[in-house]
Amino acid sequence: MCRSSVWRRSCGWIAACLLCSLCLLPLSGLGAETASQPAEIFRDGDTIVFFGDSITQGGHYIDHFEAWLLCRYPESRFQVFNRGISSETISGASETDHDPRRPWAHERFSRDISPLKPQVLIACFGMNDGNYHPFDWARFEQYQRGVRRLMQRAREEAGVRTLILMTPPPFDPYQRKPLDPAAKEFGYKFPAVDYDQTLGQYSEWLLSLRGEGQIVIDLHGTLNRHMSERRREQVSFTVIPDSIHPNMTGHWLMALELIRQLGLDVERRGFVGLKQVNDQTLTGDRLDVSGLPLDPAVDPQSVQWESARSASFPWRARLDWQNVFGKSSPPDGEKGWEITIDGRSAGTFTRAELRGEWSLLSSTDPEAPRNRPALLARIRERRQLEYWQFRAGTDKPLGGKSPAEDIPAKLRELTAEIEELRRPVVSTIELKQVR
């Protein structure tokens, strides 16, 4: 599917919306009570565990996802844990020259996953399972058995309500840098240049499990498509600079795809206290429950492209005049309608413009993303502490000095800060006809 025309039409106005855009849903629609209730897949009080290899251990996509989750459902409480460990496979396969042998995730499932009793388990394996070889049926079947076993153990041993499988991110052959130029066989020291075809086969099989009712998120295909589109203008573009591990933009895209492919809103805003002053003026409060913060390292052009291609980014909205004003629709003509946010003008629009799709730019709404970057930073700090504590209790501690003198106390302090930073942002909206 070609999206270049969408990109060309949208890029002019979308750049100003990236970090703090304001969008208005139909004014008769979303209310505060619906904005606070999580979708059925995530429920208030849930424990959500991420399980995977070094890509998950890196964890930036988990940080972005949790920031979204906490802001999107401000009245709900969740516990989110990172239980990824580098070099792992779900299959048990390993290169012959990998010393020591690659760790097998199933060997620690009972220790690291089951005791947490997660309601939701999100697993991302596959990058290491093909052992960086060209496609091989024996390894592929071993991978299939490992995934099937995970599906069974999640349900029967850990009591998981919802298992979400994610296809592995792509292997970028353009960034391939062999660690051993004299290698005699393929492996992580000398990956096959067509290794992404192996991951493609693994991903296609995972996606086929949707036919069995299994939730599968396609990271492999969507990240590959994103890189392909971006390379039309910049052939060197990548989100996987070492060929294996996504950078911050790649992690942001992973979080975005997890949210979107679950059918959830990336951002959503609603209104409380909406009232009509007269046939020319409408006032109300806007409740901002958005939340997919952008780390400064995320490539802004990638955000532009993603927002242009998908309705999941509601940069535009439609104002339903009949629902707002009833049968007495405002008169036709060239008279404008001014929108102000907390007393600041957001622009003047004709009736025709407001009846169609329209957008308000970020410069008019500086409070919309209030404290979201700080929230992401605190979530990241808390996760690093909790993860260090987790690894200290395993046979593979991270080593080094403890990152805090009293980790439990610091975790409580950070949690309190996060609860404050996740609060919705409320602004007063006024729509008034200009004489």
Side-chain angles (χ1 to χ4, degrees):
M1 174 180 176
C2 177
R3 304 183 177 93
S4 58
S5 60
V6 176
W7 164 257
R8 287 194 296 270
R9 288 196 303 269
S10 305
C11 64
W13 59 267
I14 236 174
C17 302
L18 295 181
L19 298 180
C20 44
S21 65
L22 170 72
C23 79
L24 304 181
L25 293 176
L27 297 180
S28 59
L30 177 67
E33 67 280 355
T34 56
S36 65
Q37 297 301 317
E40 183 65 19
I41 198 166
F42 300 113
R43 303 176 188 173
D44 187 14
D46 274 356
T47 294
I48 303 165
V49 177
F50 287 79
F51 189 36
D53 50 34
S54 58
I55 296 171
T56 296
Q57 178 177 324
H60 295 306
Y61 79 92
I62 304 174
D63 301 335
H64 281 93
F65 171 81
E66 184 176 7
W68 166 83
L69 187 71
L70 295 182
C71 292
R72 180 64 183 80
Y73 306 113
E75 295 181 5
S76 297
R77 296 294 176 268
F78 306 95
Q79 285 189 301
V80 181
F81 296 103
N82 182 343
R83 289 298 181 264
I85 291 183
S86 64
S87 298
E88 280 193 336
T89 70
I90 198 66
S91 61
S94 181
E95 302 95 314
T96 57
D97 62 346
H98 197 290
D99 188 20
R101 182 179 177 82
R102 286 190 180 277
W104 186 22
H106 276 292
E107 292 181 337
R108 66 182 181 92
F109 187 90
S110 296
R111 180 196 70 193
D112 296 342
I113 306 301
S114 295
L116 293 174
K117 298 296 180 185
Q119 283 74 40
V120 181
L121 179 63
I122 304 174
C124 184
F125 289 98
M127 179 60 75
N128 298 324
D129 288 87
N131 297 161
Y132 301 91
H133 279 62
F135 181 77
D136 174 83
W137 277 104
R139 289 188 180 86
F140 180 43
E141 290 171 352
Q142 196 171 351
Y143 177 69
Q144 291 175 312
R145 290 193 295 270
V147 171
R148 290 285 188 190
R149 186 180 180 193
L150 174 61
M151 294 167 65
Q152 180 181 13
R153 295 184 77 181
R155 180 180 65 254
E156 297 178 0
E157 180 180 331
V160 171
R161 182 184 71 234
T162 303
L163 172 66
I164 300 171
L165 301 178
M166 300 197 296
T167 65
F171 173 85
D172 188 351
Y174 290 104
Q175 308 299 323
R176 173 178 172 268
K177 300 177 180 67
L179 300 176
D180 182 7
K184 295 182 179 180
E185 60 182 61
F186 292 116
Y188 77 102
K189 295 179 182 179
F190 196 91
V193 72
D194 60 350
Y195 184 57
D196 196 55
Q197 295 180 25
T198 298
L199 297 182
Q201 294 270 27
Y202 287 18
S203 298
E204 286 182 16
W205 174 75
L206 282 176
L207 291 170
S208 74
L209 298 178
R210 290 174 172 174
E212 302 176 14
Q214 173 61 52
I215 300 175
V216 182
I217 306 300
D218 183 17
L219 301 181
H220 184 266
T222 51
L223 267 66
N224 259 333
R225 284 191 290 274
H226 182 93
M227 289 194 291
S228 177
E229 289 288 342
R230 291 296 312 278
R231 283 171 179 162
R232 292 184 180 186
E233 298 180 354
Q234 180 186 342
V235 296
S236 61
F237 178 81
T238 188
V239 297
I240 311 173
D242 68 352
S243 75
I244 297 171
H245 301 94
N247 60 14
M248 191 63 73
T249 301
H251 276 271
W252 181 83
L253 288 168
M254 291 171 66
L256 176 63
E257 287 307 315
L258 175 58
I259 296 165
R260 285 202 294 209
Q261 292 184 37
L262 289 175
L264 303 172
D265 295 317
V266 177
E267 296 198 0
R268 196 172 187 184
R269 296 180 171 96
F271 288 82
V272 294
L274 187 68
K275 62 181 180 180
Q276 183 175 335
V277 177
N278 51 50
D279 62 355
Q280 296 176 330
T281 305
L282 181 78
T283 63
D285 292 331
R286 180 181 64 82
L287 179 65
D288 175 10
V289 292
S290 65
L292 186 57
L294 291 176
D295 186 282
V298 174
D299 183 83
Q301 286 184 284
S302 285
V303 183
Q304 290 179 19
W305 190 84
E306 288 297 328
S307 57
R309 84 175 180 89
S310 174
S312 295
F313 281 84
W315 305 123
R316 297 175 180 243
R318 184 178 296 277
L319 181 64
D320 189 334
W321 284 99
Q322 187 170 358
N323 284 340
V324 173
F325 290 95
K327 294 182 179 180
S328 58
S329 180
D332 287 313
E334 294 304 317
K335 289 183 179 180
W337 291 79
E338 183 182 27
I339 296 178
T340 60
I341 305 165
D342 292 338
R344 298 183 301 274
S345 177
T348 300
F349 304 83
T350 67
R351 180 175 182 267
E353 287 174 332
L354 288 178
R355 288 185 70 100
E357 289 190 342
W358 54 286
S359 65
L360 297 176
L361 302 184
S362 61
S363 59
T364 66
D365 191 28
E367 292 299 309
R370 183 185 60 168
N371 291 330
R372 296 312 191 225
L375 173 66
L376 184 62
R378 297 298 181 275
I379 287 173
R380 185 168 296 158
E381 185 178 356
R382 181 175 69 176
R383 175 149 295 108
Q384 289 170 345
L385 287 175
E386 195 281 327
Y387 188 82
W388 192 93
Q389 189 178 48
F390 152 63
R391 291 292 293 269
T394 71
D395 57 345
K396 295 180 181 179
L398 294 178
K401 183 181 178 181
S402 173
E405 292 184 5
D406 187 341
I407 290 181
K410 185 62 176 177
L411 288 174
R412 289 192 295 271
E413 176 186 328
L414 287 169
T415 298
E417 290 185 44
I418 289 168
E419 286 301 306
E420 176 66 20
L421 291 170
R422 71 183 287 208
R423 290 186 301 109
V425 178
V426 178
S427 302
T428 299
I429 306 292
E430 184 175 72
L431 173 66
K432 187 171 184 179
Q433 189 172 20
V434 179
R435 295 287 183 182

